Amino acid sequence: MICVKLQLSEFHSSSRNLEDSSKREWKPLEDRSCTDIPWLLLFILFCIGMGFICGFSIATGAAARLVSGYDSYGNICGQKNTKLEAIPNSGMDHTQRKYVFFLDPCNLDLINRKIKSVALCVAACPRQELKTLSDVQKFAEMNGSALCSYNLKPSEYTTSSKSSVLCPKLPVPASAPIPFFHRCAPVNISCYAKFAEALITFVSDNSVLHRLISGVMTNKEIILGLCLLSLVLSMILMVIIRYISRVLVWILTILVILGALGGTGVLWWLYAKQRRSPKETVIPEQLQIAEDNLRALLIYAISATVFTVILFLIMLVMRKRVALTIALFHVAGKVFIHLPLLVFQPFWTFFALVLFWVYWIMTLLFLGTTGSAVQNDQGFVEFKISGPLQYMWWYHVVGLIWISEFILACQQMTVAGAVVTYYFTRDKRNLPFTPILASVNRLIRYHLGTVAKGSFIITLVKIPRMILMYIHSQLKGKENACARCVLKSCICCLWCLEKCLNYLNQNAYTATAINSTNFCTSAKDAFVILVENALRVATINTVGDFMLFLGKVLIVCSTGLAGIMLLNYRQDYTVWVLPLIIVCLFAFLVAHCFLSIYEMVVDVLFLCFAIDTKYNDGSPGREFYMDKVLMEFVENSRKAMKEAGKGGVGDARELKPMASGASSA
């Protein structure tokens, strides 16, 4: 009620003062009111619905079935069960049998995404491989853990004719219980290679895929170390951005050139060395592997060469605009000097996302084991929900997208609020002790509704795109050319719309942080200013994003080069594929998380500058808030664009700031 009253009073006062807004001094960050209250209430109700789904699944016994596990007859392991009508072997006392054991753990159902095997409750998991039924019988007699069906006694394992059906598939792989979930899982996951072969058509020879998987398992320590290296390099790059922003552009350019040339040169050197090695000493069984290694190295070298040439061409085209970016990076570097906690913002966002995703996955698993016991065609028990409640997982999926986007939007609003506070504080010594925490405080008190509305709009675009992608994957190879073209066009259009809305939302959050207006008003004002200064926005984003992209490339190349040197002692070069892909993808994601904060700061600074020129002209009483370097950057950008002949009369105008509608809440 307090927020609603504040919003109404702010609306009336802003309407009365709109007429003389140009006559008085404009002071940002002073008027605060709660924005988009109905959307905040809707988001709270939606979260309550998510909590209801979790509570329902736990109350119906799904939590016990998920954590303790259950066998194919509906018995929960580790407790005494009640008899289920018309289902044999149900109602058994499994107090001493606390683990779920699958007779064929590597038999996976790709369609239903589950293990297609009979499940039993056992007292212990086989820690060593059991090669014969005699080994299975000895294990049961020594450990009291019967691995065959309940209808077969351990003494009958080697004599009964039904042992081949009622006992586990031989050899029984060594397994260990999964922590907290009481399932016996094979220690060596190589048996899941068949599952990967069904999804990956890398080569026709399945032995290559087995070598790839074994390469990942063998080099897991190296992969972990390289991932940590990429994290350290990203943090070092952020520190460098803070203190040497003026020379950072040239440093990045030189290092990327050296990194690309070095990586390409090393690959060609390894290829030449492998090609010159004598083949007479190679045994016939290893000859095919040697040829695969040589072919793999050639593909790596050619790909690196093509990437290096394309990178050089792009840098050649962008070279005249590098000088303009130096001033922009200098101003953004000042922001990180005064707001050092911005560097750690991706950590808190990632931590919040991980917590939510863990909750979401746990609830999804609860939903997969909730419902009433139903006997399937094989005579085993499955738990299914009937009636309207069976569609709860749709609600749960929408919650995954909306709440994830909400968390990301909170990060954008927090960063925008902190940078806005820095920009519009004339004396930087008067900044709050922690502008980040001050921004979080304003977000929680005033703007959660705005963030909820912006994230919901992204959700409305993302869900249809995901549905179309699912339909396209299901109809792959079945639809005609026209339908395939229409599907891909719709997916592409929705993707472009999502990216545009993401960029507009980010600028709308900045406008909200400055003027405390609702989402629609802020989005309209941000859109107007972006359109009126489209060429300048394109220049800033093109050059700035390209230099940040070079930073990402530098981290990926450095991590990849370190991986090549560490894996060089392994002569089976085909096993490099998965480890290097995993490491490079992780390095890119880490670099993107860190440098996206820098990119966000640059965009917020530009919009703040536009609003500053709207309300201030440099005269006494209406002094600019902006940094002098930022003004020089924009002026130099305008002059450079005019000299290049890319601007007309419209480019000679002063930067047009936010429209007068920004004052109306």
Side-chain angles (χ1 to χ4, degrees):
M1 288 299 296
I2 295 176
C3 287
V4 175
K5 290 181 180 178
L6 285 173
Q7 192 176 33
L8 292 175
S9 62
E10 177 65 20
F11 173 78
H12 292 302
S13 61
S14 61
S15 299
R16 291 193 302 268
N17 296 332
L18 180 60
E19 298 177 356
D20 60 340
S21 61
S22 60
K23 299 179 182 180
R24 59 182 175 85
E25 181 182 1
W26 173 73
K27 295 183 179 181
L29 306 178
E30 290 194 352
D31 297 330
R32 286 292 164 194
S33 61
C34 299
T35 55
D36 298 296
I37 301 301
W39 282 95
L40 175 58
L41 298 177
L42 177 62
F43 182 75
I44 293 175
L45 291 176
F46 185 86
C47 292
I48 293 175
M50 293 282 290
F52 168 78
I53 292 177
C54 181
F56 171 79
S57 59
I58 294 177
T60 53
R65 286 193 288 268
L66 174 64
V67 176
S68 300
Y70 62 95
D71 61 15
S72 297
Y73 309 101
N75 301 301
I76 299 177
C77 300
Q79 69 180 46
K80 190 174 182 180
N81 299 272
T82 57
K83 177 70 176 178
L84 299 177
E85 185 179 355
I87 296 179
N89 293 327
S90 63
M92 299 182 66
D93 186 1
H94 286 327
T95 306
Q96 303 300 323
R97 301 172 179 175
K98 299 181 179 180
Y99 303 101
V100 179
F101 176 77
F102 298 96
L103 298 187
D104 188 5
C106 297
N107 186 8
L108 302 176
D109 187 351
L110 302 180
I111 299 178
N112 297 317
R113 298 172 296 278
K114 63 181 181 181
I115 298 177
K116 192 177 180 181
S117 170
V118 176
L120 302 174
C121 291
V122 298
C125 301
R127 298 293 181 140
Q128 296 180 350
E129 185 181 48
L130 307 177
K131 298 181 179 180
T132 63
L133 288 176
S134 298
D135 295 337
V136 176
Q137 186 179 26
K138 292 179 181 179
F139 178 80
E141 294 173 351
M142 294 178 60
N143 298 278
S145 182
L147 302 183
C148 294
S149 178
Y150 304 137
N151 300 326
L152 197 64
K153 297 179 180 180
S155 59
E156 301 175 348
Y157 286 0
T158 56
T159 59
S160 176
S161 60
K162 299 181 179 180
S163 297
S164 59
V165 179
L166 300 180
C167 287
K169 183 179 179 181
L170 298 175
V172 180
S175 60
I178 300 176
F180 307 108
F181 289 98
H182 301 87
R183 268 79 167 177
C184 296
V187 176
N188 186 2
I189 63 172
S190 61
C191 68
Y192 294 130
K194 295 181 179 180
F195 174 70
E197 290 168 8
L199 300 178
I200 304 173
T201 55
F202 183 74
V203 289
S204 58
D205 185 8
N206 290 336
S207 62
V208 175
L209 184 58
H210 284 278
R211 299 212 309 271
L212 293 177
I213 296 176
S214 62
V216 174
M217 299 304 300
T218 305
N219 301 309
K220 55 182 180 295
E221 293 84 4
I222 296 178
I223 294 174
L224 180 60
L226 291 173
C227 291
L228 293 177
L229 175 64
S230 65
L231 181 62
V232 173
L233 290 177
S234 299
M235 299 187 68
I236 292 175
L237 184 59
M238 292 297 297
V239 175
I240 292 175
I241 289 176
R242 286 181 55 188
Y243 293 105
I244 57 171
S245 56
R246 288 187 179 274
V247 297
L248 176 64
V249 174
W250 301 114
I251 292 176
L252 282 177
T253 302
I254 295 173
L255 289 179
V256 166
I257 292 175
L258 294 178
L261 289 176
T264 304
V266 168
L267 287 173
W268 281 113
W269 173 73
L270 290 175
Y271 171 74
K273 179 182 176 181
Q274 183 74 7
R275 188 175 183 181
R276 289 196 303 267
S277 61
K279 297 182 179 180
E280 292 78 7
T281 58
V282 181
I283 60 177
E285 291 77 7
Q286 298 293 327
L287 185 60
Q288 182 61 39
I289 296 178
E291 293 179 355
D292 291 340
N293 293 336
L294 188 64
R295 189 182 305 110
L297 277 176
L298 180 61
I299 294 175
Y300 301 157
I302 294 176
S303 302
T305 303
V306 173
F307 174 78
T308 302
V309 171
I310 294 176
L311 187 63
F312 283 175
L313 291 177
I314 295 176
M315 296 177 68
L316 185 65
V317 174
M318 303 293 294
R319 71 187 189 282
K320 294 183 179 179
R321 296 184 178 180
V322 170
L324 298 176
T325 311
I326 296 177
L328 178 62
F329 274 50
H330 178 71
V331 178
K334 288 183 178 180
V335 174
F336 282 95
I337 293 176
H338 288 87
L339 309 177
L341 291 181
L342 278 178
V343 178
F344 301 99
Q345 189 62 34
F347 284 109
W348 312 126
T349 303
F350 179 75
F351 181 70
L353 285 173
V354 168
L355 286 180
F356 170 68
W357 290 341
V358 169
Y359 160 81
W360 188 88
I361 292 174
M362 291 296 297
T363 305
L364 183 66
L365 294 176
F366 288 155
L367 288 176
T369 55
T370 192
S372 303
V374 178
Q375 195 171 19
N376 59 17
D377 298 336
Q378 289 78 28
F380 300 131
V381 173
E382 294 180 352
F383 293 92
K384 295 184 179 180
I385 306 176
S386 59
L389 294 178
Q390 62 182 318
Y391 302 106
M392 284 192 301
W393 69 275
W394 280 102
Y395 188 97
H396 197 58
V397 170
V398 174
L400 170 67
I401 301 174
W402 190 5
I403 297 179
S404 297
E405 292 295 332
F406 177 84
I407 295 173
L408 294 174
C410 285
Q411 171 185 274
Q412 295 175 350
M413 180 68 84
T414 300
V415 173
V419 177
V420 164
T421 301
Y422 166 82
Y423 185 96
F424 289 107
T425 301
R426 297 187 189 278
D427 188 356
K428 306 307 179 187
R429 293 174 296 181
N430 295 331
L431 282 171
F433 178 70
T434 53
I436 290 289
L437 295 182
S439 179
V440 172
N441 178 52
R442 290 195 300 269
L443 167 65
I444 296 175
R445 292 181 60 186
Y446 303 112
H447 304 312
L448 284 178
T450 299
V451 172
K453 186 174 183 178
S455 57
F456 181 75
I457 292 175
I458 300 298
T459 304
L460 287 181
V461 179
K462 191 181 288 285
I463 290 177
R465 183 171 67 87
M466 295 178 66
I467 293 175
L468 290 179
M469 291 176 62
Y470 176 77
I471 294 175
H472 180 263
S473 64
Q474 294 298 312
L475 298 179
K476 193 171 184 179
K478 300 178 182 179
E479 76 280 14
N480 55 39
C482 181
R484 182 168 59 251
C485 180
V486 171
L487 273 176
K488 290 185 176 180
S489 299
C490 292
I491 293 172
C492 181
C493 291
L494 288 174
W495 181 84
C496 294
L497 178 61
E498 181 183 338
K499 294 301 179 182
C500 293
L501 288 176
N502 270 319
Y503 184 72
L504 181 61
N505 279 9
Q506 179 181 327
N507 287 276
Y509 298 147
T510 303
T512 299
I514 297 173
N515 294 315
S516 194
T517 51
N518 59 48
F519 178 82
C520 291
T521 302
S522 299
K524 181 195 69 174
D525 297 335
F527 179 77
V528 169
I529 193 172
L530 293 176
V531 170
E532 291 182 344
N533 302 279
L535 291 179
R536 295 179 178 89
V537 172
T539 301
I540 293 173
N541 287 337
T542 301
V543 179
D545 291 355
F546 178 70
M547 299 315 302
L548 294 177
F549 170 73
L550 289 184
K552 300 174 186 177
V553 172
L554 172 63
I555 294 175
V556 173
C557 289
S558 301
T559 308
L561 181 60
I564 292 175
M565 302 306 295
L566 290 175
L567 294 172
N568 184 34
Y569 70 92
R570 298 187 182 278
Q571 297 301 312
D572 191 357
Y573 295 106
T574 53
V575 304
W576 286 16
V577 177
L578 282 183
L580 280 181
I581 288 177
I582 292 172
V583 167
C584 291
L585 284 179
F586 184 84
F588 181 81
L589 290 176
V590 170
H592 176 74
C593 289
F594 279 93
L595 296 181
S596 62
I597 295 294
Y598 201 90
E599 179 183 355
M600 201 179 303
V601 170
V602 171
D603 293 335
V604 174
L605 284 174
F606 179 78
L607 201 63
C608 290
F609 173 82
I611 300 175
D612 193 8
T613 58
K614 159 72 176 178
Y615 293 99
N616 301 302
D617 55 10
S619 60
R622 300 182 66 180
E623 293 85 1
F624 287 118
Y625 288 90
M626 71 186 66
D627 191 285
K628 293 182 180 179
V629 179
L630 185 58
M631 173 62 80
E632 293 175 0
F633 163 72
V634 177
E635 291 299 326
N636 292 337
S637 178
R638 179 176 60 85
K639 293 177 182 178
M641 289 166 56
K642 290 175 63 178
E643 292 174 359
K646 295 183 179 180
V649 179
D651 288 329
R653 298 176 300 172
E654 282 297 321
L655 185 68
K656 286 202 171 184
M658 188 167 287
S660 59
S663 300
S664 61

